[in-house]
Amino acid sequence: MSNQLPIIGITMGDATGVGPEIIVKSLTHDIVFKQCRPLVIGDARRLEEANAIVGAGMKVRRIRDASEAHAQPGTIDCIDLDLIPDGLPFGKLSAVAGDAAYQYIARAVELAQARKIDAICTAPLNKEALHAGGHKYPGHTELLAELTGVPEVSMMLVAPQLRVIHVTTHIGIIDAIRKIEPGLVQRTIERGNATLMKAGIERPRIGVCGINPHAGENGLFGYGEEEEKIVPAIAILQARGLDITGPLPADTLFYRAGRGDFDLVVAMYHDQGHGPVKVLGLEAGVNITVGLEVIRTSVDHGTAFDIAGKGIADERSLLEALRQGAELADRRT
């Protein structure tokens, strides 16, 4: 195993969800250790419980600092915060687990800012538990933005044959429409364009969704939101030479993106972008926070309380998130 591989800090997420299980399962794959040096920030006892549940036969190794990580197949290196009490039930909302999920992220950000890890990869947290634990954030994206001191970031979902960046995310649809304005649309597109260029796409082809059905159909639907909130941003960026088309009806745009017409789709609100990605399969989707000074990737699914603790959670989304985190870290280097 090369010491030149990037160190990926894997936060354990909500300890009562599937995070511990998918982490253990992922680290049974030798390919992970050929892509990166994985380091879990979480609770060692909970990982040992998950190890027993899934029958992985892994060894959990407690360490205090990233410099102590060995990153050897068969062993899980864990910076052990020791926050989860013995016997905490899987699949049940817990304020203790919600607070712990926050603490894992906070420690990972400290490590990333100190350049002790090269990227952060997050297992899922539960927003209700996070709030119950005293941390009032809509989700990982907003939490990471505040911890890193970045005023504005974007959520990008990546699935086979589809990349989607969101203008708004965890707010209600009425609030989302109110929040969308040309400056925000422009900055979101710029962040997405820059990310794809860093990933090796020289001139990304970007398709922009409308807000209303049929992208307003020239004023037949809605109250001119496309012309007021989206068109000015597109015009500015087209004048700068970006390859942008829109606003387009979301239903046809996603179809065209899936067949390869676009490198990136700009969705206006949460479900407009998440729906098509999740139809393609939760096991293949990855969430990337765009605009942070640190690299962050994540699974594109939740804590799955209904199956947590049963050993049946699918680790493929985490495997892909680790792969993409390592790739982004390599490109930054």
Side-chain angles (χ1 to χ4, degrees):
M1 226 229 50
S2 171
N3 286 332
Q4 299 305 310
L5 293 174
I7 301 174
I8 308 295
I10 308 168
T11 57
M12 202 175 74
D14 192 299
T16 66
V18 296
E21 295 166 74
I22 61 173
I23 289 171
V24 171
K25 283 187 170 184
S26 292
L27 298 185
T28 64
H29 293 260
D30 286 351
I31 185 63
V32 171
F33 293 86
K34 296 176 181 178
Q35 297 166 341
C36 68
R37 290 177 280 168
L39 169 62
V40 180
I41 298 103
D43 267 69
R45 282 199 306 269
R46 198 58 162 184
L47 291 172
E48 288 168 342
E49 285 184 66
N51 185 45
I53 288 168
V54 303
M58 300 284 282
K59 176 184 177 182
V60 179
R61 180 172 171 268
R62 292 160 173 80
I63 62 175
R64 294 184 178 181
D65 189 76
S67 62
E68 301 173 24
H70 287 171
Q72 296 293 331
T75 299
I76 300 173
D77 289 324
C78 175
I79 293 181
D80 183 17
L81 271 62
D82 193 21
L83 298 172
I84 303 301
D86 288 334
L88 187 69
F90 281 93
K92 293 187 178 180
L93 191 77
S94 164
V96 170
D99 174 59
Y102 171 87
Q103 302 301 336
Y104 305 148
I105 289 290
R107 177 65 64 87
V109 168
E110 289 176 6
L111 292 169
Q113 291 179 327
R115 300 192 179 278
K116 293 186 175 183
I117 61 176
D118 299 295
I120 299 170
C121 182
T122 58
L125 54 73
N126 181 281
K127 297 175 182 62
E128 190 176 352
L130 184 70
H131 287 199
H135 308 287
K136 308 297 184 181
Y137 299 93
H140 269 123
T141 303
E142 298 81 5
L143 169 55
L144 283 159
E146 180 164 310
L147 286 174
T148 57
V150 176
E152 188 175 274
V153 296
S154 297
M155 177 188 294
M156 180 185 289
L157 302 182
V158 179
Q161 300 179 317
L162 187 63
R163 301 180 191 88
V164 184
I165 193 167
H166 294 69
V167 175
T168 66
T169 50
H170 296 116
I171 54 177
I173 186 66
I174 294 174
D175 294 328
I177 293 171
R178 187 179 297 118
K179 184 175 180 179
I180 297 166
E181 50 86 20
L184 178 58
V185 173
Q186 179 180 334
R187 294 190 299 275
T188 303
I189 296 172
E190 288 171 335
R191 282 190 285 269
N193 185 72
T195 299
L196 266 60
M197 290 180 69
K198 290 176 183 176
I201 301 174
E202 185 174 342
R203 190 166 183 258
R205 300 163 299 159
I206 301 171
V208 182
C209 292
I211 297 172
N212 295 293
H214 299 233
E217 193 83 51
N218 296 317
L220 292 179
F221 303 112
Y223 299 92
E225 288 88 355
E226 282 74 19
E227 288 73 18
E228 175 190 348
K229 297 171 176 287
I230 302 174
V231 170
I234 292 175
I236 290 171
L237 295 174
Q238 285 175 333
R240 283 172 34 191
L242 276 68
D243 186 352
I244 304 177
T245 306
L248 298 172
D251 50 2
T252 54
L253 173 49
F254 279 105
Y255 168 75
R256 291 180 58 189
R259 76 181 184 190
D261 292 359
F262 298 100
D263 300 304
L264 179 66
V265 172
V266 181
M268 291 296 130
Y269 52 90
H270 184 282
D271 285 12
Q272 188 181 58
H274 277 60
V277 171
K278 292 189 175 182
V279 165
L280 292 174
L282 289 174
E283 73 282 351
V286 173
N287 182 340
I288 301 173
T289 304
V290 177
L292 292 173
E293 294 180 358
V294 302
I295 294 168
R296 180 260 176 161
T297 64
S298 177
V299 296
D300 184 31
H301 61 73
T303 47
F305 281 168
D306 57 326
I307 62 169
K310 298 180 180 179
I312 60 175
D314 192 319
E315 74 271 26
R316 284 178 290 176
S317 181
L318 182 55
L319 285 169
E320 182 62 16
L322 287 167
R323 186 192 69 78
Q324 293 200 29
E327 185 175 293
L328 288 168
D330 280 339
R331 288 185 181 276
R332 172 176 286 186
T333 302

